Amino acid sequence: MNYFEFFEIPVSFFPDEADLRQRYLKNSKLYHPDFHTLAPAAQQSEVLEKSTLNNQAYLTLADFEKRLKYILELKGVLEENKNELPNEFLMEMMDINEAIMELEFDFDEAVYRDALAKAADIENELLTAVKPAMESYVDGTSSIASLDIVKDFFLKKRYLMRIKENLNKFAPASKEVH
């Protein structure tokens, strides 16, 4: 059973978060092990499994990044070691990567801030471009091409997160970026 089925909600990149939380809390009460201490061992085991599933499902679906990855894996679009970034994107990232290399040898606040701003701008542009495909996604009727667009966004976003992590190594101690 996938996490969306568990919560009885449709597969969506943007689920109703308040509804998701309500379903999680309802399941938390229903499957809390403390309420089943007098039940037979098999039932206690089943309740514990469902309680664990409830927590894992909620932690995944409540977090945009985790939900995105989960849906792509669920639909078989995101495969281990078979995900490549387009060369145009990698070329676009070259300036930022060169700035990171410069920062390693000689920290410059302006270069640092510029690289950080470029990464944030690119990430915002990517989200703006993919959001319509994500919002219009309907499980079972949307094409694989629409999921490939989302996969491309996910891979680029993950790459940008690594760039931000590298940039954070150079952040002034009191102003780290998250």
Side-chain angles (χ1 to χ4, degrees), residues 99-158:
I100 291 171
M101 287 178 14
E102 286 178 33
L103 291 170
E104 287 179 15
F105 297 106
D106 185 27
F107 181 79
D108 180 329
E109 180 82 22
V111 171
Y112 165 76
R113 294 276 173 217
D114 184 52
L116 204 54
K118 282 181 183 176
D121 288 346
I122 292 168
E123 187 174 358
N124 288 333
E125 289 171 13
L126 291 171
L127 180 59
T128 300
V130 76
K131 200 169 185 181
M134 294 169 75
E135 289 174 334
S136 65
Y137 178 78
V138 177
D139 192 36
T141 61
S142 291
S143 69
I144 288 291
S146 66
L147 285 173
D148 283 338
I149 292 168
V150 177
K151 172 187 168 185
D152 189 54
F153 164 74
F154 174 77
L155 295 173
K156 290 175 180 178
K157 183 164 178 47
R158 195 166 62 180

Side-chain angles (χ1 to χ4, degrees):
M1 171 181 305
N2 75 50
Y3 295 163
F4 291 98
E5 289 172 352
F6 180 75
F7 285 124
E8 298 176 343
I9 60 173
V11 175
S12 171
F13 290 103
F14 300 106
D16 180 333
E17 291 183 22
D19 180 50
L20 177 63
R21 180 158 173 73
Q22 289 300 326
R23 290 171 188 266
Y24 164 72
L25 292 173
K26 178 184 167 208
N27 285 345
S28 292
K29 291 176 186 171
L30 188 62
Y31 301 124
H32 197 287
D34 289 350
F35 298 137
H36 301 275
T37 56
L38 300 177
Q43 186 180 349
Q44 286 182 26
S45 178
E46 182 182 334
V47 166
L48 186 58
E49 284 179 33
K50 287 189 176 181
S51 177
T52 301
L53 176 62
N54 185 53
N55 290 326
Q56 290 172 337
Y58 182 72
L59 289 173
T60 300
L61 299 184
D63 180 278
F64 178 72
E65 306 298 328
K66 292 177 184 177
R67 180 174 59 242
L68 186 60
K69 182 179 181 193
Y70 180 75
I71 293 171
L72 293 172
E73 288 174 340
L74 182 67
K75 297 303 169 187
V77 177
L78 193 64
E79 300 176 48
E80 200 66 36
N81 300 321
K82 292 185 180 181
N83 304 306
E84 293 185 17
L85 287 164
N87 284 332
E88 317 83 63
F89 177 76
L90 294 173
M91 294 299 288
E92 190 177 349
M93 296 295 98
M94 198 176 307
D95 287 342
I96 297 174
N97 283 317
E98 286 175 1
I100 291 171
M101 287 178 14
E102 286 178 33
L103 291 170
E104 287 179 15
F105 297 106
D106 185 27
F107 181 79
D108 180 329
E109 180 82 22
V111 171
Y112 165 76
R113 294 276 173 217
D114 184 52
L116 204 54
K118 282 181 183 176
D121 288 346
I122 292 168
E123 187 174 358
N124 288 333
E125 289 171 13
L126 291 171
L127 180 59
T128 300
V130 76
K131 200 169 185 181
M134 294 169 75
E135 289 174 334
S136 65
Y137 178 78
V138 177
D139 192 36
T141 61
S142 291
S143 69
I144 288 291
S146 66
L147 285 173
D148 283 338
I149 292 168
V150 177
K151 172 187 168 185
D152 189 54
F153 164 74
F154 174 77
L155 295 173
K156 290 175 180 178
K157 183 164 178 47
R158 195 166 62 180
Y159 187 91
L160 285 166
M161 284 192 324
R162 284 193 299 269
I163 283 180
K164 287 180 184 178
E165 288 171 4
N166 285 334
L167 284 168
N168 275 334
K169 294 175 187 174
F170 306 107
S174 63
K175 298 180 181 177
E176 282 197 21
V177 179
H178 298 281

